[in-house]
Amino acid sequence: DAPPLQVEEYSSQPIRRNKKKTAHRPRPRSPAGGGNIEIPMHSMDRKQLLNAGFPEQLFHMLNGASERAHHLLNWSPDGSSFEIFDTKNVGNFIRQYFRHSNLSSLRRMLHLYSFSTANNVYRHPHFYRGSSLSDIKRHVVLSQSQKNESNSIEEIVPIRCNKDTKTGHDIGAEEESSKKVMSNSVFPEQLFNMVNDGSKTHPHLLNWSPEGDAFEILDTKNVGNFIRHYFRHGKVSSLRRMLHLYQFQTSNNVFRHPNFHRDRSLSDIKRYVVKKA
């Protein structure tokens, strides 16, 4: 005979199951004395990193190297400089942060940004671990013809100041000193500063292309006020006329020149001169 079936009694109480206890992981806190927490490289994706400026790319590369590639390059102990230890194998690591893997290209950019070097140790007074990077500027190399043009611009185009009908004050008088500094710069340098700053502060008006070999004016109606900070006018038509004189190619508000690049010197950009018969 088959054994009798065993029937379990029904209970209205819910069945309680033992859950495995997981270890509690505390959230990272800021340092005891306050200050900023260094952001690792993976907090910025590669597209954002490649479109960032050179100081930002360099800063993220050094922070990433201090975490996982300190045998290649790293900050100094006090964070005031950095050193490249392995010049032969550092190229693959450079490629993660730049569009190239050439140490020579990195050194050329460091020179353009006025870094001092000694035995593969690089230093800049405004580049250090924890710095804001806002005071690091690119050094523009001018040819002799551009220098001559730069010295004569102040005499050709005077500064204009209009009167405010209500207050009687000069409009633009406060910007006179800054415009005098800009007047000593030739058009390629003024244009580079405008595009470089605009890509960081006003990317909805104008910006570099992803490759950095061209720039685009995205808002032709409202870009005039931004142009006025770098030139003596706020007219897109005047800017286009100067771009034409400097042999820029244009297509749908995208402007391109073989020697105008986000990461190159401006010394080979010449103005086209129309000879009279």
Coordinates of all heavy atoms in Angstrom, one line a residue, residues 17 34 129 185 210 215 253:
R17 N 11.4 35.1 5.4 CA 12.7 34.5 4.9 C 13.9 35.3 5.4 O 13.8 36.6 5.4 CB 12.7 34.4 3.4 CG 11.6 33.5 2.8 CD 11.6 33.5 1.3 NE 10.5 32.6 0.8 CZ 10.3 32.5 -0.5 NH1 11.0 33.1 -1.4 NH2 9.3 31.7 -0.9
G34 N 37.9 70.8 4.9 CA 37.2 71.4 3.7 C 38.0 71.2 2.5 O 38.8 70.3 2.3
R129 N 48.3 71.1 -8.7 CA 47.2 70.2 -8.3 C 46.2 71.0 -7.4 O 46.5 71.5 -6.4 CB 47.8 69.1 -7.5 CG 46.8 68.0 -7.1 CD 47.5 66.8 -6.6 NE 48.5 67.2 -5.6 CZ 49.6 66.4 -5.2 NH1 49.8 65.3 -5.9 NH2 50.4 66.8 -4.3
S185 N 46.5 93.6 -31.0 CA 46.5 92.3 -31.5 C 46.0 92.3 -32.9 O 45.1 93.0 -33.3 CB 45.7 91.3 -30.6 OG 46.1 91.3 -29.3
P210 N 34.2 69.7 -33.6 CA 34.7 68.7 -32.7 C 36.2 68.4 -32.9 O 36.9 68.1 -32.0 CB 33.9 67.4 -33.0 CG 32.6 68.0 -33.5 CD 33.0 69.3 -34.3
F215 N 35.4 76.6 -37.1 CA 34.5 77.1 -36.0 C 33.2 77.5 -36.7 O 33.1 77.8 -37.9 CB 35.0 78.3 -35.3 CG 35.1 79.6 -36.1 CD1 34.1 80.5 -36.0 CD2 36.2 79.9 -36.8 CE1 34.2 81.7 -36.7 CE2 36.3 81.0 -37.5 CZ 35.3 82.0 -37.5
N253 N 27.8 79.1 -42.4 CA 28.3 79.7 -41.2 C 29.4 78.9 -40.5 O 29.6 79.1 -39.3 CB 27.2 80.0 -40.2 CG 26.3 81.1 -40.7 OD1 26.7 82.1 -41.2 ND2 25.0 81.0 -40.4

